[in-house]
Amino acid sequence: MRLNSPQINIITKACRRASRSLIRDFGEIENLQVSSKGPGDFVTSADKRTEKIIIEELLKAHPEYGIISEEAGVINKSNINNRWIIDPIDGTTNFLNGVPQFAISIGYEEDNEIKCGVIYDPIKDEMFLAEKGNGAYLNNSRIRVSNKKRLKDSLLVTGGPKHSSKIKESVFSEFINVSNKVLFPIRKFGSAALDIAYVACGRFDGYWQREINYWDIAAGIIILKEAGGYIDFFEHDNQVPLKKNILASNSIIHEELRDLIIKKNIE
Ligand code: IPD
Ligand code: CA
Ligand code: CA
């Protein structure tokens, strides 16, 4: 594998270390599900434990870099040129319910551009990683997006809306609208990071979601781009910092899918 930046090495090491405690915690979930207290508080602490290990590793390597992390928020606010963007567990609802579909996601950003990133599924031991200009990999194998040519034949995945979302109805009508144009039923796997990673390696042909947070997609952005895919923050300025809409797909179906999503909202 030809990924060799110091940052990618730091991220992979942090993922490996944090995943040991994450796997142990996931093993506890089954017991907690049958207990009267339930797994809720435990998952919150598993999230924080994982995040703490990751942040410790990253700060050890670069105490001067900034950090945006889902649970801890913004650390080292003054350094916005070099930042780690962390989601310690992406797919918390899956984790909480004992479903093995979640990942650690860490991106590295320089001057507002993601330069490298890792999405690590500790249960399947699948590490998706990429570095600007050097390609995207799944473990040691180079990955590429699919070459599916017709939207109609594409396998798509989406996520949301959250319980608190104010745009639930339009999200559902968008879903119906897109599902009428594709033969395969649309997937919903519950981890945005893995959804994008699966588009990057050609398992899915496209992923879209509204109201996504930056930490859900930071690593996915570079992995998808380096795998030859196309990313679009439709209806949002690329500079909008934390909440975004996202469409990630192979570049062949991109335009058709984008038109479908945007047109529906104009009608
Ligand atoms: C969530 C997952 C989910 C997506 C949500 C995210 P979390 O992240 O990525 O797939 O639909 O919008 O918030 O809460 O599990 O880290
Ligand atoms: Ca997330
Ligand atoms: Ca999370």
Side-chain angles (χ1 to χ4, degrees):
M1 194 174 18
R2 268 176 277 147
L3 301 191
N4 50 21
S5 68
Q7 286 83 7
I8 203 96
N9 290 329
I10 294 163
I11 301 177
T12 38
K13 198 170 152 213
C15 281
R16 295 259 177 228
R17 216 193 117 202
S19 71
R20 289 197 283 275
S21 109
L22 193 55
I23 292 169
R24 260 196 316 273
D25 286 343
F26 187 62
E28 285 294 309
I29 294 287
E30 223 166 41
N31 303 332
L32 287 162
Q33 261 159 354
V34 289
S35 82
S36 57
K37 206 166 155 242
D41 290 346
F42 177 78
V43 171
T44 310
S45 35
D47 223 347
K48 295 208 167 114
R49 250 192 305 278
T50 313
E51 184 180 63
K52 186 166 173 279
I53 298 171
I54 294 168
I55 292 179
E56 247 171 47
E57 280 293 321
L58 300 179
L59 284 179
K60 200 159 71 187
H62 280 289
E64 77 286 13
Y65 280 12
I67 289 176
I68 300 180
S69 189
E70 183 174 11
E71 309 300 326
V74 183
I75 302 173
N76 291 350
K77 292 186 183 135
S78 57
N79 191 345
I80 51 162
N81 299 325
N82 309 81
R83 296 198 294 196
W84 308 106
I85 319 291
I86 307 165
D87 191 344
I89 307 178
D90 183 66
T92 335
T93 306
N94 287 339
F95 188 92
L96 175 68
N97 289 281
V99 178
Q101 181 73 4
F102 56 87
I104 297 171
S105 171
I106 308 175
Y108 168 66
E109 191 197 66
E110 230 171 69
D111 301 325
N112 289 318
E113 190 191 6
I114 300 285
K115 297 287 188 191
C116 65
V118 174
I119 295 170
Y120 182 49
D121 173 342
I123 303 299
K124 302 182 200 69
D125 192 20
E126 288 192 326
M127 185 173 277
F128 299 86
L129 59 173
E131 207 174 82
K132 192 179 176 193
N134 288 331
Y137 289 81
L138 164 50
N139 294 336
N140 290 314
S141 307
R142 190 86 191 243
I143 50 172
R144 269 204 74 74
V145 289
S146 75
N147 62 0
K148 201 72 71 68
K149 293 189 177 46
R150 298 196 313 171
L151 182 62
K152 191 176 166 201
D153 303 323
S154 298
L155 185 60
L156 304 179
V157 63
T158 189
K162 284 205 160 74
H163 182 73
S164 57
S165 173
K166 303 256 185 316
I167 57 161
K168 264 188 194 162
E169 281 181 19
S170 74
V171 167
F172 288 129
S173 69
E174 187 168 274
F175 183 92
I176 293 170
N177 198 42
V178 177
S179 76
N180 284 333
K181 301 284 182 195
V182 289
L183 294 173
F184 293 124
I186 297 168
R187 314 280 91 181
K188 242 170 144 240
F189 272 27
S191 161
L194 288 176
D195 292 342
I196 303 177
Y198 284 16
V199 176
C201 69
R203 291 175 184 165
F204 295 145
D205 305 300
Y207 158 74
W208 90 100
Q209 187 173 341
R210 289 180 182 269
E211 301 184 317
I212 198 85
N213 289 301
Y214 190 35
W215 48 78
D216 299 316
I217 56 170
I221 292 172
I222 187 73
I223 295 170
L224 199 270
K225 281 186 184 164
E226 287 296 320
Y230 204 87
I231 289 257
D232 196 329
F233 304 111
F234 59 97
E235 294 167 3
H236 267 180
D237 188 317
N238 276 358
Q239 299 308 314
V240 174
L242 289 179
K243 280 265 186 228
K244 291 174 184 291
N245 298 326
I246 187 170
L247 165 57
S249 68
N250 83 23
S251 41
I252 319 170
I253 63 162
H254 187 83
E255 210 176 309
E256 205 181 340
L257 184 54
R258 184 179 198 280
D259 285 354
L260 184 62
I261 293 168
I262 292 178
K263 204 169 115 240
K264 188 230 110 212
N265 286 289
I266 295 167
E267 278 163 1

